[in-house]
Amino acid sequence: MEWGAYTAVLFDLDGVLTPTAEVHMKAWSEMFNGYLAGLPGQEPYGDADYFAYVDGKPRYDGVRDFLASRGILLPEGAPDDDPGLETVCGLGNRKNATFTHIVARDGVTPYAGSVALVEQLAADGHRLAVVSSSRNARPVLEAAGLAGHFPVVVDGVLAKAEGLAGKPAPDTFLRAAQLLGAPPAQAVVVEDAISGVAAGAAGGFGLVIGVDRGVGAEALRIAGAHLVVSDLAEVAAR
């Protein structure tokens, strides 16, 4: 792995730097299955639904896409909807409340291989950013002890404020590269979600690394990953 060919590295957060993807999966499962339990004839929500419709997307897009897969149409609602409301935004907010509770209760331990790579890249002078659809990215980075390595964080909050399209559109990655002053061709995207890998490929980035945390190496390659690893220790900077 020739890291010297690149000036910037753009990391997804959940599932790449921290195992919070597992917390997200649990929160989505609890929320959707609680909702579906009140609807006759609906099969339970499972991991396959997460990877197909939710993984890597902005929260409300994930709600909308999963419901569409089941033929369920709900009012859109508004971002300040109460989590008890049966709207797209209400269900998304219900999931977020569950996630926040789990993080506060259990904390966040980052992947050791990811921490080692981040520390090595930072020491070598690479410019680093986190690009996440989550609105909780900054609190999670703080909880994991990684915030100091990332001067740029393009998260769900910034994306909404600037009107940036979420993954699989490349907009958030392109914005992070711009904020770091790095041309896309000189930047690396590191992602574990199909939608995130597709975003990196669509943005014309110099290298897209897929981290297989369960979605499958072949699916990541089809989405556009140039390289697939199971742990970032495999592409250590030294």
Side-chain angles (χ1 to χ4, degrees):
M1 180 66 205
E2 294 294 335
W3 288 103
Y6 308 99
T7 59
V9 187
L10 317 177
F11 291 87
D12 179 41
L13 177 61
D14 302 326
V16 171
L17 297 176
T18 62
T20 40
E22 299 169 10
V23 182
H24 280 291
M25 289 180 71
K26 182 177 181 180
W28 281 113
S29 179
E30 289 184 10
M31 184 278 289
F32 275 133
N33 280 318
Y35 170 69
L36 293 174
L39 301 179
Q42 286 287 342
E43 294 292 323
Y45 168 94
D47 288 352
D49 294 306
Y50 174 81
F51 289 122
Y53 305 112
V54 174
D55 189 23
K57 297 179 182 177
R59 193 190 327 147
Y60 300 141
D61 289 351
V63 173
R64 196 180 303 109
D65 290 351
F66 170 71
L67 293 178
S69 77
R70 297 297 184 94
I72 300 170
L73 182 63
L74 288 181
E76 186 70 16
D80 60 354
D81 275 2
D82 186 275
L85 289 178
E86 290 192 357
T87 63
V88 169
C89 292
L91 292 183
N93 294 346
R94 192 181 307 178
K95 177 265 170 182
N96 191 57
T98 303
F99 175 84
T100 301
H101 172 73
I102 295 171
V103 169
R105 182 191 66 203
D106 300 337
V108 178
T109 301
Y111 292 107
S114 300
V115 172
L117 177 60
V118 166
E119 290 178 345
Q120 290 172 359
L121 290 172
D124 287 344
H126 287 81
R127 287 167 267 173
L128 307 180
V130 162
V131 181
S132 171
S133 61
S134 174
R135 292 171 177 263
N136 299 302
R138 290 184 182 276
V140 169
L141 281 170
E142 291 286 352
L146 295 174
H149 292 299
F150 296 99
V152 168
V153 176
V154 176
D155 58 4
V157 177
L158 182 64
K160 183 177 186 299
E162 297 191 359
L164 302 174
K167 306 167 189 178
D171 301 38
T172 51
F173 280 117
L174 291 172
R175 180 60 170 141
Q178 181 186 48
L179 290 171
L180 289 177
Q186 294 178 15
V188 180
V189 166
V190 188
E191 264 283 357
D192 71 314
I194 291 173
S195 60
V197 166
F205 288 90
L207 181 68
V208 180
I209 299 176
V211 184
D212 182 13
R213 304 289 193 193
V215 70
E218 186 61 21
L220 293 170
R221 291 190 186 96
I222 291 172
H226 301 114
L227 173 67
V228 177
V229 298
S230 59
D231 189 282
L232 288 176
E234 298 172 37
V235 287
R238 296 192 183 92

